Every structure is written in structure tokens, then in C-alpha cells.
């Protein structure tokens, strides 16, 4: 029994690490055992280091947000408003959880008769209950400041690596990527990038991978800077940073990435070493990223265009706190569904677009 299990595991291990799948012809795993021009090749076991590194980065992030980001937020006038509380009510809570978070006029009137509450009071209860699930501005500011610092440091480190690196792209050096809002799209994005990062590192496909990471990080910290300005209510600075972010995003994701990186991995590599099984896998994942880049660039250009025309970037409705006036507008919109030309309708479209993109992280 033990021999059969060991044999099965051996076959599975051999299939997972088949040289004919992962490596070009005339290249074996043994070729990656020795040093290359003074550099040690990556090892598959190095991937295990991501777990303690992730724990360490999480610990550093907690310290950063508490002792650096939070004091900075208070310095620019952002205070901790604390969690939003609502008056406990089992009937309204059941409606909120199982039926709707935005009751229409008919349902509001029914609840008013059932509870003997004013419709206005029920509207306020639902508004406060929705706000209860949203993080305060102080939390969002601290999160964005951490991401801004992290992305900027990683970008600078990647540039330094590329500047000092003496490696050239060959049969052992290629690509990986860094993740950059719909759950399904982000799920596909994360699967693609995790696969690229893991297997490109194991195969020592480092050079192009570092280029891809730098291209992604070049715009990430600008987005976080725009969000910081937004939370601090520096609207003009927010608009300026977002437009700059959009320009950098489009230039790197629709310019440099396809015409430089993909051109190398698809066409130049084909001429140099020809395709092999994992070549199709890696380039397929890179092409998936390019499709996502096109989708996101379209959304960004829409937001940036509206910012230039209307003078204000769309809100982050992922966690904005609703006001009483917003509640009244929602009630009005339920009475006239075709009122898409009203100012409230425009704001809700902007909020949805803004929230879709602000959540892209």
C-alpha cells in the first residue's frame, strides 16, 4: 500500500514538474541548479518564503497605519467618526438583510403602518444601517496611504533592480506580473497574476517579469495619492493626480506593455527559441492582463473625461457615507424611474463609475 501511494505521488510530482512542459528543448532543471554570471538561480522552495513575508508585511502595515498614517490623517483634519449605530429593530433588520437595502415608496409605507413609524424615520434607519457597514474616512485614508507608500517603494526598487541588472532575456528569463471592479474580473486577474508570479520565478523568467511589475506599479501609487487627496478634501489636487494617473496608466498598459513587453514575449521569443507548452500558458496569461488593461483604461478615461468636463472626479461609493439629502434624492428617484436626466441620476452614475474603479486594488 505504501509503495503504491509513493509511486502515485512520484508520478504526480513528475507530471507537475515535467521539463518538456515548463522548459524549452535542450533545457533541463539541472541547468538551473548552478549560478549564472554571479547570480544564483531561483529555487522552487523559495516560494515558501512568501508566507512569513506576508505575515511580516501585514505586521509592518498595522504599525504604519497606527503610528504614521493615522497621525497624518488627523493632521489634515480627518477624524475618526467611529462606527455608525442604528436603533435595534428586528423587522427592519430582516428587511435589510433578506429583502432590500433600498426600500421603495410602497414598502416604506407598509413598514410605516406596521411599526407606527414615520416614513422619514424609516428612511433614516436604512441610511444609518447602510453606513454602519462602511468604513469611515480615517480608515480609508490609512489604507490608501499604506498602499501609496508600498507601491512607490516597490516601484523604486524595481527600477533599481532593472538599472543594476546585467541579465538579458534568454531561454531561462521571461515574465511575471503584479496584480492591478467587478469581483469576477478581479478574480480572473488575481488568478492570472499569481500564476505568472509563481511559475515565472520558478523558471527563472525574471527580466520581463520585473518590467511588467514596474509598469503596473508606475501608476498604482498615483491612484492612491489621488485617493488621499480626495479623502483630505483637496479636490483640485485629487483631480490633477487622477488625470496624471490616467495618462500614466494608459501609456504603460496600452503603450509600453503591448508594444514592448508582449512584442518580446510573443514574437521575439518565438524567433529565438520557439514555442513550448508553458510558453503558451505564460503568454495566454499575459494576454488576459492586456484585455483587463483595455477594460480598465476605458473606465479610467470615462472618469477622467468627466473630471475635465465637470471639474470633479467621481466619488468612491465603496464607502462614502450617505447624507440626508442623498436619501431624499433616492426617494425621489423611486417615484420617477425615468428621471435619468436629473442631477441625482448623474451623481449616481458617477458614483458607480468611481466606486468601480476606486475598488480596483
Amino acid at each position: 500500500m505504501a509503495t503504491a501511494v509513493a509511486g502515485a505521488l512520484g508520478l504526480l510530482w513528475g507530471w507537475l514538474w515535467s521539463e518538456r512542459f515548463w522548459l524549452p528543448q535542450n533545457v533541463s532543471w539541472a541547468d538551473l541548479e548552478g549560478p549564472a554570471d554571479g547570480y544564483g538561480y531561483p529555487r522552487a522552495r523559495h516560494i515558501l518564503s512568501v508566507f512569513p513575508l506576508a505575515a511580516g508585511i501585514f505586521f509592518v502595515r498595522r504599525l504604519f497605519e497606527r503610528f504614521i498614517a493615522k497621525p497624518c490623517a488627523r493632521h489634515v483634519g480627518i477624524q475618526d467618526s467611529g462606527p455608525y449605530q442604528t436603533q435595534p429593530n428586528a423587522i427592519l433588520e430582516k428587511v435589510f438583510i433578506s429583502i432590500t437595502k433600498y426600500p421603495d415608496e410602497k414598502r416604506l409605507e407598509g413598514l410605516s403602518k406596521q411599526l407606527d413609524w414615520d416614513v422619514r424615520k424609516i428612511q433614516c434607519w436604512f441610511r444609518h444601517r447602510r453606513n454602519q457597514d462602511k468604513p469611515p474616512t480615517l480608515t480609508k485614508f490609512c489604507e490608501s496611504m499604506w498602499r501609496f507608500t508600498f507601491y512607490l517603494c516597490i516601484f523604486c526598487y524595481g527600477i533599481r533592480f532593472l538599472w543594476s541588472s546585467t541579465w538579458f532575456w534568454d531561454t531561462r528569463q521571461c515574465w511575471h506580473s503584479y496584480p492591478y471592479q467587478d469581483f469576477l474580473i478581479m478574480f480572473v486577474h488575481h488568478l492570472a497574476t499569481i500564476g505568472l508570479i509563481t511559475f515565472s520565478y520558478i523558471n527563472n523568467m525574471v527580466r520581463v517579469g520585473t518590467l511588467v511589475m514596474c509598469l503596473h506599479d508606475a501608476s498604482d501609487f498615483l491612484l492612491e495619492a489621488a485617493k488621499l487627496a480626495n479623502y483630505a478634501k483637496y479636490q483640485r489636487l485629487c483631480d490633477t493626480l487622477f488625470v496624471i494617473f490616467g495618462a500614466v496608466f494608459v501609456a504603460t498598459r496600452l503603450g509600453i506593455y503591448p508594444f514592448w513587453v508582449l512584442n518580446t514575449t510573443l514574437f521575439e521569443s518565438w524567433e529565438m527559441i520557439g514555442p513550448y507548452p508553458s510558453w503558451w500558458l505564460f503568454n495566454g496569461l499575459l494576454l488576459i492582463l492586456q484585455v483587463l488593461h483595455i477594460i480598465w483604461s476605458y473606465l479610467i478615461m470615462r472618469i477622467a473625461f468627466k473630471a475635465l468636463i465637470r471639474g470633479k472626479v467621481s466619488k468612491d461609493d465603496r464607502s462614502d457615507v450617505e447624507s440626508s439629502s442623498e436619501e431624499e434624492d433616492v426617494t425621489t428617484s423611486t417615484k420617477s424611474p425615468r428621471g435619468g436626466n436629473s442631477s441625482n441620476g448623474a451623481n449616481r452614475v458617477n458614483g458607480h463609475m468611481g466606486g468601480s474603479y476606486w475598488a480596483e486594488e
Side-chain angles (χ1 to χ4, degrees):
M1 182 66 180
T3 304
V5 172
L9 291 176
L11 290 174
L12 177 61
W13 187 259
W15 177 78
L16 287 175
W17 298 105
S18 172
E19 293 177 344
R20 297 286 60 83
F21 179 82
W22 294 111
L23 302 174
Q25 293 183 357
N26 303 322
V27 178
S28 67
W29 292 118
D31 296 327
L32 302 182
E33 291 295 328
D37 300 329
Y39 294 92
Y41 284 135
R43 301 285 189 271
R45 62 179 180 272
H46 293 170
I47 297 298
L48 297 177
S49 63
V50 301
F51 297 104
L53 284 174
I57 291 176
F58 177 77
F59 180 71
V60 171
R61 171 179 177 170
R62 300 293 293 183
L63 294 177
F64 178 90
E65 291 184 352
R66 180 172 182 178
F67 296 106
I68 298 179
K70 188 172 289 187
C72 290
R74 289 171 175 163
H75 180 72
V76 297
I78 299 175
Q79 300 297 326
D80 189 357
S81 57
Y84 298 95
Q85 301 296 332
T86 59
Q87 178 181 349
N89 188 289
I91 296 176
L92 295 181
E93 185 69 22
K94 183 177 180 180
V95 172
F96 182 87
I97 295 176
S98 60
I99 300 178
T100 179
K101 297 180 180 180
Y102 295 89
D104 55 20
E105 183 180 5
K106 183 178 180 180
R107 190 175 298 277
L108 287 172
E109 292 177 352
L111 290 171
S112 176
K113 294 178 181 178
Q114 184 178 358
L115 298 173
D116 195 25
W117 283 15
D118 293 335
V119 170
R120 180 66 177 174
K121 184 177 180 180
I122 298 176
Q123 290 176 337
C124 291
W125 189 96
F126 274 92
R127 183 178 69 252
H128 293 154
R129 181 61 180 85
R130 289 192 296 269
N131 289 337
Q132 186 174 318
D133 295 335
K134 298 177 180 180
T137 302
L138 178 64
T139 300
K140 295 186 293 178
F141 183 94
C142 293
E143 290 176 353
S144 291
M145 188 169 183
W146 161 256
R147 287 191 293 265
F148 167 79
T149 305
F150 181 81
Y151 293 151
L152 181 59
C153 291
I154 290 297
F155 173 68
C156 293
Y157 176 80
I159 293 296
R160 186 182 66 84
F161 176 85
L162 289 172
W163 185 264
S164 61
S165 175
T166 59
W167 295 358
F168 294 93
W169 190 88
D170 59 18
T171 60
R172 303 181 185 89
Q173 295 161 345
C174 190
W175 52 86
H176 59 234
S177 182
Y178 179 77
Y180 209 62
Q181 315 126 83
D182 184 350
F183 171 79
L184 179 60
I185 293 179
M186 289 306 300
F187 181 73
V188 173
H189 183 80
H190 289 319
L191 286 181
T193 51
I194 290 173
L196 287 168
I197 291 172
T198 302
F199 294 115
S200 64
Y201 183 84
I202 292 175
N203 283 14
N204 198 35
M205 299 176 176
V206 177
R207 181 68 174 179
V208 176
T210 309
L211 287 171
V212 174
M213 291 188 72
C214 287
L215 289 179
H216 282 68
D217 293 333
S219 58
D220 287 352
F221 70 90
L222 291 171
L223 173 62
E224 299 304 327
K227 292 166 71 174
L228 289 174
N230 181 50
Y231 299 146
K233 302 187 184 303
Y234 297 144
Q235 191 60 49
R236 186 177 298 275
L237 178 61
C238 170
D239 296 342
T240 302
L241 288 172
F242 186 84
V243 172
I244 296 174
F245 157 77
V248 174
F249 187 100
V250 172
T252 54
R253 310 293 179 93
L254 299 187
I256 299 176
Y257 181 80
F259 293 108
W260 183 17
V261 177
L262 287 183
N263 178 65
T264 298
T265 62
L266 284 172
F267 303 109
E268 295 181 6
S269 65
W270 184 293
E271 297 176 356
M272 293 172 61
I273 57 176
Y276 49 97
S278 65
W279 182 95
W280 295 100
L281 172 63
F282 290 134
N283 278 287
L285 294 176
L286 288 172
L287 288 173
I288 289 175
L289 293 185
Q290 182 58 38
V291 172
L292 298 179
H293 293 165
I294 294 172
I295 296 173
W296 285 324
S297 296
Y298 167 73
L299 296 175
I300 292 170
M301 286 188 286
R302 281 185 58 177
I303 297 172
F305 178 76
K306 290 179 180 179
L308 293 174
I309 297 299
R310 300 181 181 180
K312 186 175 182 180
V313 170
S314 302
K315 291 183 178 180
D316 177 9
D317 73 347
R318 171 178 65 97
S319 51
D320 277 349
V321 177
E322 299 177 44
S323 64
S324 299
S325 60
E326 288 173 339
E327 185 69 45
E328 292 170 357
D329 290 340
V330 171
T331 304
T332 303
S333 67
T334 61
K335 295 181 180 179
S336 53
R338 296 181 179 272
N341 294 328
S342 67
S343 60
N344 179 54
N347 287 336
R348 284 186 283 111
V349 172
N350 287 342
H352 175 71
M353 291 300 302
S356 297
Y357 192 76
W358 288 133
E360 183 219 330
E361 306 158 340

